[in-house]
Amino acid sequence: MPLDHPLNSLGFAKPPSETRVVVAMSGGVDSSVVAAMLAEEGYDVVGVTLQLYDHGAALAKKGACCAGRDIHDARRVAEEMNFPHYVLDYENTFKEAVIDEFADSYLAGATPVPCIRCNERVKFKDLLETAKDLDADCMATGHYIQRMMGDAGAELHSAADASKDQSYFLFSTTPEQLDYLRFPLGHHASKEQTRELARKYGLALADKPDSQDICFVPNGNYASVIEKLRPGAAEPGDIVDVDGNVLAQHNGVIHYTIGQRRGLGIGGLATPLYVVKLDVDKKHVIVGPKELLTTRTVPVREINWLGDGAFDDVAERHIAVKVRSTKPPMEAVVRPLSATTAEVELLTPEEGVAPGQACVFYDNDSSRIFGGGWIWRGY
């Protein structure tokens, strides 16, 4: 093979037909379009779908990825586009790496984001290793995020369509994983562009709705899932104010989240009360005025740094951060405490910053993502 062969669309100096790519197929429109697009371009495509939880229960469930219906849809796309497709049983791995931690952290009063752990510990770890075992040159996914080449190697950048950007859920992607991963949809201007491609390829799922829920949490009802995973978790206790005065009773700390106002069963007060803290050991839901939800200081640990140089080689970094997936990045000063821990100062105070959520780092002057870490209590 001549060394001066032009780079193909995935960045390899060889023809697409000699480039094997494993596509992580959830059965949704996005990953299906990626697989179909690469197959049409002539790549040696291998589709892989993960069965992440009980198949029987999945069959009756809508609105989440990796369910039985989705496995069928992924297989059908592979048949239509004529490439091999495999279903891998990752149920035990998923339970150990994602579901158990979700249950434990939720019981500890945190607000976990299991989709990040799934990407980090299952899709971009075990599945990525499987792709390498299949002698694939790279692994492609349907995530809306961009991989760009910089002076020091591959960089992570926000998607062109800000409304679909998934950078919050992919901050823990390591430099080594980023070298191997490809995100063909990240430059699309809109989701409609992806659906148009699905129609072009004749895919039956072109108008399939996007998944909304966490795949193992039907209808967003976290508490019901936790009760099944950890029997006895919904033990009653007291709703108290910040001085410890009992205001009402509750039927389980797991039914409450930081910042919650409705459903407290406390009426007739001049000032509305919000959940400001959860004390699992005492079975207390602690409530207070809205201003107690506001904070400037956010302790962060388990930091994955994707910027240039070592994370802790400077005293502070002036960047932007996201402390929840639904809000735009805000200006902040990040002060490293070690290679993997930091104190983040928000220049504008934010309400409802909750342990268990991610704090993702962004460049103020470009679309680049510098990684991020996990918010914790700091004590």
Side-chain angles (χ1 to χ4, degrees):
M1 179 63 59
L3 294 178
D4 59 351
H5 193 285
L7 296 180
N8 60 34
S9 63
L10 293 178
F12 297 99
K14 53 184 177 179
S17 60
E18 297 177 17
T19 306
R20 175 169 293 177
V21 52
V22 163
V23 180
M25 300 182 69
S26 68
V29 178
D30 300 324
S31 58
S32 296
V33 165
V34 167
M37 179 170 60
L38 295 175
E40 189 191 55
E41 290 179 27
Y43 286 97
D44 178 8
V45 173
V46 178
V48 176
T49 300
L50 302 182
Q51 181 181 311
L52 297 179
Y53 56 95
D54 180 68
H55 199 177
L59 288 172
K61 185 175 182 310
K62 296 180 180 179
C65 69
C66 311
R69 177 80 242 172
D70 297 320
I71 291 173
H72 169 80
D73 288 343
R75 182 180 291 122
R76 183 174 176 181
V77 170
E79 290 172 352
E80 291 172 351
M81 300 302 296
N82 196 31
F83 59 81
H85 174 258
Y86 301 96
V87 178
L88 304 182
D89 183 355
Y90 273 41
E91 190 174 333
N92 289 337
T93 299
F94 185 65
K95 184 178 185 301
E96 293 168 4
V98 179
I99 296 180
D100 285 344
E101 183 189 74
F102 168 83
D104 293 340
S105 61
Y106 203 90
L107 282 175
T111 308
V113 191
C115 298
I116 298 176
R117 289 302 198 193
C118 181
N119 289 326
E120 173 188 317
R121 296 176 174 176
V122 181
K123 293 176 182 175
F124 291 177
K125 182 174 180 288
D126 293 342
L127 178 54
L128 191 143
E129 289 304 315
T130 297
K132 291 180 177 179
D133 290 342
L134 291 170
D135 293 324
D137 294 283
C138 63
M139 185 173 92
T141 79
H143 289 106
Y144 285 86
I145 196 164
Q146 298 189 81
R147 174 188 182 275
M148 298 182 183
M149 293 305 296
D151 294 338
E155 299 175 353
L156 203 61
H157 286 254
S158 299
D161 179 3
S163 68
K164 296 298 294 181
D165 177 62
Q166 292 176 288
S167 57
Y168 185 85
F169 301 98
L170 297 170
F171 80 86
S172 61
T173 306
T174 67
E176 294 75 24
Q177 291 167 343
L178 196 53
D179 283 340
Y180 194 70
L181 289 163
R182 300 293 188 274
F183 309 107
L185 302 183
H187 65 283
H188 282 191
S190 69
K191 176 62 176 272
E192 184 54 34
Q193 188 176 345
T194 302
R195 293 195 184 276
E196 287 173 3
L197 282 173
R199 296 182 192 106
K200 170 189 170 184
Y201 300 131
L203 304 184
L205 45 60
D207 297 309
K208 184 175 181 177
D210 291 342
S211 59
Q212 300 294 332
D213 299 333
I214 295 170
C215 66
F216 60 92
V217 183
N219 305 316
N221 190 342
Y222 286 29
S224 66
V225 173
I226 299 299
E227 288 184 68
K228 291 178 183 176
L229 293 170
R230 300 289 187 269
E235 296 179 2
D238 294 328
I239 298 177
V240 302
D241 63 20
V242 291
D243 296 318
N245 300 308
V246 177
L247 304 179
Q249 278 68 50
H250 65 75
N251 60 353
V253 171
I254 62 172
H255 296 286
Y256 299 85
T257 57
I258 303 296
Q260 180 176 333
R261 178 186 174 188
R262 298 182 183 278
L264 299 180
I266 305 170
L269 299 176
T271 304
L273 295 178
Y274 298 77
V275 177
V276 298
K277 186 179 178 183
L278 300 172
D279 189 328
V280 177
D281 294 333
K282 294 181 179 179
K283 300 183 179 62
H284 281 178
V285 173
I286 302 162
V287 297
K290 190 174 185 179
E291 55 264 28
L292 292 183
L293 288 171
T294 302
T295 185
R296 281 184 178 270
T297 304
V298 182
V300 180
R301 61 184 177 185
E302 291 183 62
I303 288 170
N304 176 57
W305 177 244
L306 293 175
D308 301 326
F311 173 63
D312 54 352
D313 63 4
V314 296
E316 59 183 38
R317 297 179 180 277
H318 292 257
I319 57 178
V321 302
K322 264 191 184 186
V323 292
R324 58 169 59 86
S325 63
T326 54
K327 289 228 174 177
M330 61 186 74
E331 288 190 63
V333 179
V334 177
R335 298 185 177 90
L337 302 176
S338 72
T340 58
T341 59
E343 183 177 272
V344 176
E345 179 188 350
L346 306 176
L347 300 192
T348 302
E350 178 68 13
E351 294 177 1
V353 177
Q357 296 280 297
C359 179
V360 182
F361 305 158
Y362 297 81
D363 186 8
N364 278 317
D365 302 315
S366 75
S367 59
R368 189 174 178 186
I369 298 144
F370 289 142
W374 294 93
I375 299 168
W376 66 302
R377 290 178 177 79
Y379 55 82

